[in-house]
Amino acid sequence: MTTFYSEFDSPFGPTRACLTGGRLSRVWIEGQKHAPALGKDWQRDDRQPLFQQLREQLQQYHDGQRQAFSLPLAPAGTAFQQQVWQALLAIPYGDHCSYGMLANRIGRPSSVRAVAAAVGRNPLLWLIPCHRVLGADGSLTGFAAGLQMKRQLLALERKPDLQGQLLLAN
């Protein structure tokens, strides 16, 4: 199966994305932890319609015109990682939870560290909203794209009545 990739400037910086089997399998920014090296069998094709849709939806999200992405996703990971990533998709725009709360939501309350590791390995930056997970005390904790990006995304999604506004000052 051919993996296509695209490189483009998004509102969040230099971005790369991969399509596998006609679905987005990876989206990351320059300098992000766990970013893959380009595969020798990957083919660059910036004209793939799904890449254009991704660029448009990222711009809409950045501009406050979109709260959820509607793109076909195919993140590769273990069954446990898939379970965590599905739970991330259920965190509404403008809301957040802790790693412990996320572990409870998937029925694995004693697996907080494993949940945090799966969150950190999210292959679809922005599309699977791992930035909405905070430390137990509400602090900004690790984020593969950097804490400044996490802060930016939380600020972008901040609801006027959100009680945790102090989070963004950390």
Side-chain angles (χ1 to χ4, degrees), residues 94 96 134 137-140 151 154-170:
H96 59 273
L134 307 173
D137 62 357
S139 62
L140 296 183
R151 191 174 288 111
L154 291 170
L156 184 137
E157 294 185 4
R158 185 174 49 210
K159 294 178 181 177
D161 61 344
L162 183 65
Q163 294 297 310
Q165 290 183 16
L166 294 177
L167 298 169
L168 304 177
N170 291 342

Side-chain angles (χ1 to χ4, degrees), residues 45-83:
D45 186 351
D46 297 320
R47 296 171 296 156
Q48 290 280 331
L50 198 48
F51 291 141
Q52 178 60 34
Q53 292 171 22
L54 172 62
R55 288 189 293 272
E56 290 170 1
Q57 290 190 25
L58 281 174
Q59 187 66 54
Q60 292 165 350
Y61 171 73
H62 178 268
D63 294 346
Q65 300 168 348
R66 173 174 292 278
Q67 294 186 359
F69 295 93
S70 59
L71 301 163
L73 308 180
T78 67
F80 179 76
Q81 288 172 325
Q82 296 284 343
Q83 185 180 23

Side-chain angles (χ1 to χ4, degrees), residues 137-155:
D137 62 357
S139 62
L140 296 183
T141 57
F143 188 59
L147 291 182
Q148 183 56 38
M149 176 64 70
K150 187 170 189 167
R151 191 174 288 111
Q152 178 184 355
L153 296 172
L154 291 170

Side-chain angles (χ1 to χ4, degrees), residues 82-103:
Q82 296 284 343
Q83 185 180 23
V84 171
W85 299 335
Q86 279 300 125
L88 290 172
L89 288 167
I91 304 170
Y93 179 95
D95 286 344
H96 59 273
C97 73
S98 69
Y99 294 96
M101 291 168 66
L102 193 60

Side-chain angles (χ1 to χ4, degrees), residues 16-48:
R16 284 187 175 158
C18 289
L19 290 178
T20 306
R23 296 173 174 263
L24 289 163
S25 54
R26 296 203 64 100
V27 176
W28 70 100
I29 60 170
E30 191 174 277
Q32 179 177 325
K33 286 182 192 174
H34 314 299
L38 294 179
K40 62 182 176 188
D41 58 336
W42 293 8
Q43 294 179 19
R44 184 168 180 171
D45 186 351
D46 297 320
R47 296 171 296 156
Q48 290 280 331

